[in-house]
Structures are given as structure tokens and as C-alpha cells.
Amino acid sequence: VLSELYELVKDKASFLVISVHGFGPVKKRFYLNKWLINEGYLKIKKSILSRKVSVDWSKTKVFAPINLWGGDLYFVKENCGSDYEKIREEIISKLLAFKEPAKDENIVGKVLRREEIYSGKYLTNAPDLLVVLRNPDYKISGDLMSDELLKQVSMEEPAREFTGDHRREGILIDFNGIVKKQSQQLDV
């Protein structure tokens, strides 16, 4: 289809194919809520009969949404009180220092405060912190049920886990060379 479209317009217009994101493998998961539990910021209640886990909102200071596919951290401000900034700085410092035990490598590449990336009248609706992992083959999960902080993704059971996910890097295909010709003037 693209080649047919290109043939129709090649002499009349520039022809670019641009993606909004790329795609790649997921090799390990970092269970962010498990880390928050271990560090004492997230409190859970366990039901022995049903084996269900739920968040104890009266004691939780920070949580990652359960359906998390990014690194959003939200604070329960009434449980943080005047220590909000102190807790935020503490979490940033601890996450940046957290290492994968088997490799002795930092897992987290950066932790951004919401005001570093967002602005405007809805700033308070944004996550308080955004966690960005160092390795693009690792993915953050907000799952509460994991017993592990880091888990190898199983390629044998792909139906149970995503084995691939979006990447920040996408593609740009320039059929006419317009980007190269105008790279100084063109804001792609």
C-alpha cells in the first residue's frame, strides 16, 4: 500500500513515514509497588480467606497505579503531611541507588518531579514522580501480588505476560531525502 501511494505522489510531494513510538522486547519486570511496600511507603491488607490483597489507604503514603505501564507515583498527601517534599526526595534518592543484585547495576535511570515535565492549571492531577528505568528491556509493573522486586519475563508463557512493549524511539522513513536536504530548517 505504501509503495502504491508513493508512486502516486513521488514527483509531487515529499513522502515521510513516521511512527509515534517503537517496539521492543520486555526481558524483566520491576515491581514498583513491591519496592514501595518493602520501603514502607505503601501499606497493604491481606485477606487470609480469599488470598486477596488491597491497599490500606489510611496508612499508604505513595502508590503506583495497579494497571501501571509507566513509572507514575502518586502521593497520598494527607498521609504525608508536612513531610511531602522530604519523602519525595527520599524516594528519588533510594530509587536512583537501587541496584539489580545479580548485576550490581542501577535499575532506575532517572526520577522526575511532576513540575519538571508538566505545567499549567492541572499540574496537581499529574503523578508526583515519574520513574524512568535505565534499561529499555525492563518494564515497570504496578502489580501488588508479586513476591519479587525483579522478575524475568517468561517467553514460554507469553499469554500471562507481555513479552514486548513500546519504546520511546520510533522510525522515520524519508523517501525523498527532504529531511537530509532541509535538516537545518526542518523541525521534525
Side-chain angles (χ1 to χ4, degrees), residues 7 18-19 32-33 51 99-100 111 137 146 157 159 180:
E7 288 302 320
I18 303 170
S19 71
L32 191 50
N33 277 328
R51 297 185 61 192
K99 294 181 181 282
E100 182 174 359
V111 182
D137 293 344
S146 177
E157 297 182 55
K180 187 174 182 180

Side-chain angles (χ1 to χ4, degrees), residues 11-59:
D11 298 326
K12 301 173 191 122
S14 297
F15 194 76
L16 300 171
V17 176
I18 303 170
S19 71
V20 295
H21 60 77
F23 203 81
V26 172
K27 295 180 180 173
K28 282 195 179 178
R29 292 212 186 289
F30 172 45
Y31 292 92
L32 191 50
N33 277 328
K34 179 67 174 175
W35 183 87
L36 291 168
I37 291 167
N38 290 354
E39 295 294 324
Y41 300 109
L42 174 61
K43 303 293 182 182
I44 58 170
K45 298 184 261 186
K46 292 182 180 179
S47 170
I48 296 170
L49 296 174
S50 67
R51 297 185 61 192
K52 289 187 178 180
V53 174
S54 61
V55 174
D56 184 344
W57 294 109
S58 68
K59 297 177 183 168

Side-chain angles (χ1 to χ4, degrees), residues 131-185:
V131 180
V132 180
L133 299 182
R134 183 179 303 278
N135 188 332
D137 293 344
Y138 289 21
K139 195 70 184 160
I140 292 175
S141 174
D143 189 352
L144 283 171
M145 300 300 287
S146 177
D147 293 330
E148 304 171 72
L149 283 175
L150 280 168
K151 183 180 174 193
Q152 191 77 34
V153 171
S154 170
M155 298 307 257
E156 285 78 44
E157 297 182 55
R160 297 196 66 209
E161 302 184 74
F162 291 106
T163 56
D165 202 6
H166 298 134
R167 292 281 198 271
R168 280 181 281 189
E169 300 80 15
I171 61 163
L172 168 66
I173 302 171
D174 178 3
F175 286 84
N176 303 84
I178 190 74
V179 174
K180 187 174 182 180
K181 290 176 197 166
Q182 297 185 10
S183 62
Q184 298 302 316
Q185 299 102 11

